[in-house]
Amino acid sequence: MITAFYDFLDQWNEILGFKTPAHHKQIMAFLVSVLESEPRRGLLMSFRHSGKSTVVGIFAACVLCLRPETRILILSAENSLAARMVAHIKHILENHPRCSDLIPDVKKEWANGRITVNRPIGIREPSVVCQGIHGNITGMRADLIICDDVEVPNTCNTASKRETLRERLRELDFILSPTGTMIYIGTPHTIDTIYRTTEDDMAN
């Protein structure tokens, strides 16, 4: 499985005229290990401008390439931040040679905030949808939830905000499918970071 993700990553970087950095392969290996191993929960933190969000977007596109039926929720501090990740995934799907069969002829749901690829019929939710942390997620279902920078100064600069954020994130357990995967990516912005709690939960 990891070879397929490495190949997908290398092919995409070749299209862009780049070579894959070694630490990007390490990030990809970690993401795939979370996807394949119980409890399917992971926390990715790395230095700023390391390209972690870039690799996560490539990872999500590869998941759809290998498993088109997957439903992905991108959650960020603001809807605009989550939409940027969806736009990144959409761009990869449109331009990666391995994804050509995923692009629908009629693009009813093919925007920066919500996309649906060619997949088995009968699935209600979009393939990829984005939402801000305080947006309406009631009734959603997802097989892969990516929490991309949910902790930013505006969501964690007081104890009350941090508790509200933690409560909101606990709701994700009711959205994730029984065999689903949840991945947090981000950078701590406070000593009492929510990622400390998340890391403890991952270990349990």
Side-chain angles (χ1 to χ4, degrees), residues 114-175:
R114 175 184 294 254
I115 57 177
T116 298
V117 302
N118 286 330
R119 61 186 183 180
I121 62 173
I123 304 174
R124 186 181 66 179
E125 292 82 6
S127 299
V128 187
V129 64
C130 70
Q131 191 59 267
I133 189 64
H134 298 300
N136 182 15
I137 57 176
T138 302
M140 288 186 177
R141 294 293 180 271
D143 306 301
L144 172 60
I145 298 177
I146 298 172
C147 297
D148 181 19
D149 281 332
V150 292
E151 179 178 297
V152 298
N154 285 342
T155 62
C156 73
N157 57 8
T158 68
S160 176
K161 287 184 179 180
R162 291 192 292 274
E163 183 55 32
T164 298
L165 179 57
R166 289 187 175 97
E167 286 292 334
R168 187 63 166 164
L169 294 173
R170 291 187 189 107
E171 296 178 18
L172 298 179
D173 287 330
F174 300 101
I175 293 172

Side-chain angles (χ1 to χ4, degrees), residues 39-102:
R40 296 189 172 89
R41 302 290 191 275
L43 170 61
L44 172 62
M45 293 190 292
S46 63
F47 56 91
R48 294 183 186 278
H49 307 300
S50 63
K52 57 183 180 295
S53 292
T54 296
V55 179
V56 169
I58 298 168
F59 164 77
C62 189
V63 168
L64 288 174
C65 180
L66 298 173
R67 307 173 184 175
E69 71 279 5
T70 304
R71 302 164 296 178
I72 302 174
L73 170 62
I74 308 294
L75 197 68
S76 295
E78 302 289 343
N79 189 73
S80 59
L81 295 175
R84 285 171 54 188
M85 174 65 81
V86 179
H88 174 42
I89 297 169
K90 174 174 168 281
H91 178 66
I92 296 167
L93 293 173
E94 290 174 334
N95 293 281
H96 199 296
R98 291 181 58 186
C99 298
S100 57
D101 291 341
L102 295 176

Side-chain angles (χ1 to χ4, degrees), residues 26-40:
Q26 292 176 336
I27 291 173
M28 184 64 80
F30 170 76
L31 296 171
V32 175
S33 71
V34 176
L35 182 70
E36 294 185 326
S37 306
E38 296 289 349
R40 296 189 172 89

